[in-house]
Amino acid sequence: MTPVERFRELLAIATVSRFDPADVDDEAFAAFHAALERLYPLVHSRLEREVVAGRSLLYRWAGTTDAAPLVLLAHQDVVPVEGQQWRHPPFSAEIVGEGADRTIHARGAIDDKGALVAIFEAVEQALADGVVPRTDIWLALGHDEETRGTGAQAMAALLAERGVRPALVLDEGGAVVEGAVPGVAAPTAMIGVAERGVATFDLVTREAGGHASTPPAMPATARLARAVDRLRRRPFPLRLAPPVRAMLATAAAHAAPPLGTVFRHGRVTAPLLTRALARVGPETNALVRTTAVVTRLEGAAGDNVLATVARAGVNVRLLTGDTLADVAIHLRRAVADPLVDIELRHGGEPSPVSPWRGEAWRRLSATVSATLGHDVVALPYLQLGASDSRFYTGLTDAVYRFAPFHLTRAERDALHAPNERIRVDVWLRGIRFYRALLES
């Protein structure tokens, strides 16, 4: 079989995450594990393998020295496809197009089986070529990154218990993109050096209830609607966090004037930069402020019943430097209504910031240049979404988030959406990146 054929077979296995563990298809994950073992025989005969937290997989490739190891993360699970209209069946892994436009359409093609299978291809090829790594290499494959991350938490705890202190941890995250930074024409490898915190707060209103035919002047649902609108009209303040400042400072040498000068002097130009980035679009706005958006609304159980409790779920993504306590204060001030309760359902603080200088950064950026193009500029950036990597920050400060795929805007927009896909040539180049990193 070819690498692409193996990739397609693994994409066809619907390892879908569900928030309720009882709804997860255990047979799909068992089939995925069996397929990995069959498709990558050298990995499974020469690396140590253990199952952690029921479905996560942890591999150790022993090195020749006791120097600090490399840890590569990926996740087996994918998000659901129900309610989405796909041009091609989401688990058929169909190849569409010709030549450089050949594209694999499948849920998980990018998020995150693209990286997972590319890693396994790189390791299998290296084993076949007789490579023995200088340091230990760990492969940690979580099973519920899209929901709770319990597999990653368990594997990180296990490594900590064993005293593993990696030189470098690499997870999914940024990609090679174009146009991500205003004024920079060169393709950029966006390497996440930090990620925002994630939390869910509930706005809750209560009343006595009763029949909908005789509503009060301010029912619980109306009070809640007013609170939701007040929150929308009072966004979090703008701020240039250290990872974003580093991204702009690094990009300055590649930006057309006068933007290069503006980026280079971010401490002085921060007010101008933050206002401009907030207006460019949703992604750049999320780089310069904590964001909050209502994603779920709950009211009465029936159409003719007044809600005794109305609830709005607020998804919050915390900018580096903000805390859950800061968020609670902002929500209270924005809502400005003592009859609206604000409750933290669950949440995590922003991750620590990994260095964008030093040996680990040089190792990554050199591998990018050698395998993805000498014209590709490695940029530190603040990852907007959450990943399993946040659970590994207690093991080392060198935790990075990057998948070695050159993605268009449309391809990035398809993550968690219909028509997720990756170009075949792009995916194959990703294998070369991981192979080079293993031997760096």
Side-chain angles (χ1 to χ4, degrees):
M1 295 179 73
T2 67
V4 171
E5 288 169 337
R6 288 188 286 269
F7 186 25
R8 293 180 66 202
E9 180 173 336
L10 291 164
L11 286 170
I13 303 172
T15 50
V16 178
S17 260
R18 308 286 181 181
F19 278 95
D20 186 345
D23 295 333
V24 174
D25 184 352
D26 288 320
E27 292 184 1
F29 282 87
F32 189 81
H33 294 178
L36 278 178
E37 188 168 358
R38 173 172 48 81
L39 295 173
Y40 300 100
L42 295 180
V43 170
H44 288 83
S45 63
R46 300 187 191 176
L47 272 64
E48 302 168 15
R49 171 187 176 273
E50 54 191 309
V51 180
V52 180
R55 300 188 190 97
S56 288
L57 299 176
L58 184 63
Y59 297 79
R60 175 178 173 263
W61 187 7
T64 58
T65 73
D66 58 0
L70 168 67
V71 179
L72 298 177
L73 309 183
H75 62 87
Q76 310 163 52
D77 58 317
V78 300
V79 296
V81 298
E82 289 88 351
Q84 298 179 346
Q85 297 296 316
W86 286 64
R87 290 194 296 269
H88 307 276
F91 294 106
S92 65
E94 290 184 19
I95 295 182
V96 180
E98 300 292 338
D101 293 327
R102 291 178 71 227
T103 301
I104 302 175
H105 288 246
R107 172 61 84 223
I110 297 174
D111 188 13
D112 180 40
K113 289 181 182 176
L116 187 155
V117 182
I119 290 169
F120 269 69
E121 288 289 335
V123 175
E124 186 81 3
Q125 292 172 14
L127 288 166
D129 291 340
V131 171
V132 179
R134 184 179 61 84
T135 70
D136 282 3
I137 295 173
W138 294 83
L139 314 179
L141 312 183
H143 71 274
D144 59 351
E145 188 273 348
E146 300 291 3
T147 53
R148 303 183 185 280
T150 61
Q153 293 178 65
M155 289 187 291
L158 190 59
L159 292 177
E161 180 182 314
R162 294 173 180 173
V164 176
R165 294 292 179 265
L168 170 63
V169 173
L170 182 64
D171 196 6
E172 64 174 336
V176 178
V177 301
E178 292 167 321
V181 181
V184 177
T188 52
M190 308 302 291
I191 301 175
V193 295
E195 60 185 53
R196 299 192 298 171
V198 183
T200 297
F201 283 81
D202 288 331
L203 308 181
V204 185
T205 58
R206 297 175 172 86
E207 67 173 341
H211 200 285
S213 63
T214 55
M218 181 60 78
T221 49
R223 185 177 296 277
L224 181 65
R226 186 176 68 179
V228 169
D229 187 56
R230 285 177 174 176
L231 178 59
R232 180 189 64 83
R233 291 187 286 111
R234 294 171 175 81
F236 284 79
L238 297 169
R239 185 162 50 81
L240 205 60
V244 182
R245 195 186 304 275
M247 177 187 75
L248 297 175
T250 306
H254 308 276
L259 285 176
T261 302
V262 174
F263 292 166
R264 192 172 293 109
H265 300 287
R267 293 188 182 279
V268 176
T269 61
L272 171 65
L273 279 170
T274 53
R275 287 196 302 270
L277 290 170
R279 294 189 183 112
V280 168
E283 282 192 336
T284 52
N285 175 63
L287 287 174
V288 292
R289 61 160 43 107
T290 290
T291 58
V293 61
V294 172
T295 54
R296 301 184 68 181
L297 293 167
E298 300 173 15
D303 292 341
N304 62 346
V305 180
L306 293 175
T308 56
V309 177
R311 184 183 304 270
V314 185
N315 185 267
V316 181
R317 303 298 174 118
L318 290 78
L319 188 65
T320 302
D322 284 348
T323 66
L324 294 171
D326 296 331
V327 170
I329 291 170
H330 178 88
L331 296 180
R332 170 56 58 202
R333 289 174 177 170
V335 168
D337 186 342
L339 296 182
V340 177
D341 294 329
I342 298 174
E343 303 170 355
L344 174 63
R345 195 189 313 169
H346 54 76
E349 307 284 2
S351 77
V353 181
S354 295
W356 50 88
R357 300 180 184 87
E359 180 55 36
W361 177 263
R362 285 193 294 270
R363 183 178 179 184
L364 268 182
S365 57
T367 306
V368 165
S369 180
T371 61
L372 303 180
H374 294 293
D375 61 331
V376 177
V377 179
L379 291 184
Y381 94 114
L382 175 63
Q383 180 159 306
L384 301 181
S387 71
D388 276 344
S389 68
R390 66 191 186 277
F391 302 118
Y392 291 80
T393 56
L395 302 180
T396 176
D397 64 354
V399 177
Y400 299 96
R401 304 148 183 91
F402 174 71
F405 306 125
H406 195 150
L407 304 179
T408 66
R409 173 76 268 176
E411 288 163 347
R412 301 200 304 276
D413 286 344
L415 296 181
H416 288 206
N419 306 313
E420 185 178 351
R421 60 200 182 276
I422 191 167
R423 284 163 287 155
V424 171
D425 287 350
V426 165
W427 181 72
L428 291 172
R429 280 199 296 275
I431 298 173
R432 296 202 295 269
F433 169 87
Y434 287 117
R435 174 68 186 268
L437 187 63
L438 295 172
E439 300 183 50
S440 64

